[in-house]
Amino acid sequence: MSVDHVDPQALADEAAAAIARISGVPSHDIALTLGSGWAAAADRLGETVALIPATEVPGFTTTGIPGHTGTLRSVRLASGKHALVIGSRTHLYEGKGVDAVAHGVRTAAAAGVQTMVLTNGAGGIDPQFAVGEAVLISDHINLTATSPLRGADFVDLTDLYSSRLRAVAQRVRPELGEGVYVQLPGPHFETPAEIQYLSRIGGQAVGMSTALEAIAARAAGLEVLGITLITNQAAGLGAPLDHLEVLEEGKAAEGRLAELLTELVAEL
């Protein structure tokens, strides 16, 4: 069901209160939305305080998207800080409305989070990025023809994907490259002609999530780190696209990605 007919901030506040009540953790410091290939990281970040089915938290629903867990997890990190791991991401193509897409990051902000880590799986446009490689998002191009913001809410996106956090990530893992991510609405993959267009306008990776969440996160005052896993070459640049193969690539990379996120979160 769409949540666009209710006040999104009120719903986020209600969700944050439910997470605090169920987990026993009054507030969280960092949040991570785990996309395709990234879910295994939740088991390595620290001590799981609570594993909450998404349906127990207002505004969240079960996910029908393979590669997403459909849960929210409160994790106590070695530093003593608490991380909120969001494994119930809503995509725009599910038809639940843009507020449902932004609900996870709004809930994170209402839960006290200051740093938002957004991960995804994407098609590689730039040939410098190999399949299986994790890439920092330096900027995005939003081609969904929508925004999570309403009215005259003029939010500066100049440093949306925090240069400070990217510097921290590259200090931890100097081999990490970075590039411009493009979000399209999906659910179909792009055509080869569309990929050529995206390349010409500066896109280096393409997917169906993250940009709208990042905008909502910035509007809520969060500092954002975006990381994409290149799960396949984009249309026309390699073999025909198959979502099962995308999931298989994500599965193969799970261990490396979990290690990467664990190291990064310890420094954020």
Side-chain angles (χ1 to χ4, degrees), residues 28-264:
H28 289 76
D29 305 286
I30 183 172
L32 305 93
T33 296
L34 300 184
S36 298
W38 296 88
D43 294 324
R44 301 197 186 185
L45 291 174
E47 177 192 354
T48 295
V49 176
L51 186 62
I52 309 170
T55 51
E56 294 186 12
V57 181
F60 289 92
T61 59
T62 54
T63 178
I65 312 302
H68 297 268
T69 63
T71 61
L72 303 171
R73 184 188 299 227
S74 178
V75 177
R76 183 180 295 110
L77 305 175
S79 65
K81 293 181 178 181
H82 287 88
L84 177 64
V85 180
I86 301 170
S88 181
R89 167 181 262 158
T90 297
H91 296 77
L92 190 62
Y93 58 72
E94 295 178 64
K96 299 175 183 177
V98 71
D99 281 335
V101 173
H103 182 59
V105 297
R106 287 173 174 154
T107 295
V113 164
Q114 297 296 312
T115 302
M116 187 78 220
V117 180
L118 297 171
T119 69
N120 62 46
I125 298 173
D126 191 324
Q128 72 170 307
F129 299 142
V131 172
E133 182 178 353
V135 178
L136 298 173
I137 300 174
S138 59
D139 205 344
H140 79 228
I141 301 172
N142 173 18
L143 294 181
T144 65
T146 189
S147 169
L149 310 183
R150 295 175 176 171
D153 193 359
F154 303 121
V155 176
D156 179 21
L157 303 181
T158 303
D159 190 35
L160 174 56
Y161 298 93
S162 168
S163 56
R164 185 187 74 84
L165 294 181
R166 282 186 280 128
V168 171
Q170 288 173 325
R171 186 175 69 244
V172 173
R173 288 289 187 93
E175 72 275 15
L176 284 172
E178 59 181 36
V180 176
Y181 173 82
V182 183
Q183 181 179 350
L184 291 173
H188 55 275
F189 290 116
E190 304 74 35
T191 68
E194 288 170 336
I195 294 301
Q196 291 301 313
Y197 166 73
L198 297 181
S199 177
R200 289 189 180 101
I201 65 173
Q204 295 172 276
V206 60
M208 305 172 192
S209 68
T210 304
L212 297 176
E213 293 161 293
I215 294 168
R218 169 50 60 88
L222 305 186
E223 193 173 14
V224 178
L225 178 67
I227 318 175
T228 188
L229 168 68
I230 304 299
T231 57
N232 58 280
Q233 292 178 306
L237 302 179
L241 302 183
D242 183 323
H243 187 58
L244 291 179
E245 293 180 2
V246 170
L247 293 176
E248 288 172 4
E249 185 57 46
K251 188 72 175 176
E254 277 186 344
R256 290 183 285 108
L257 299 179
E259 183 180 345
L260 168 62
L261 270 189
T262 302
E263 291 178 12
L264 291 183

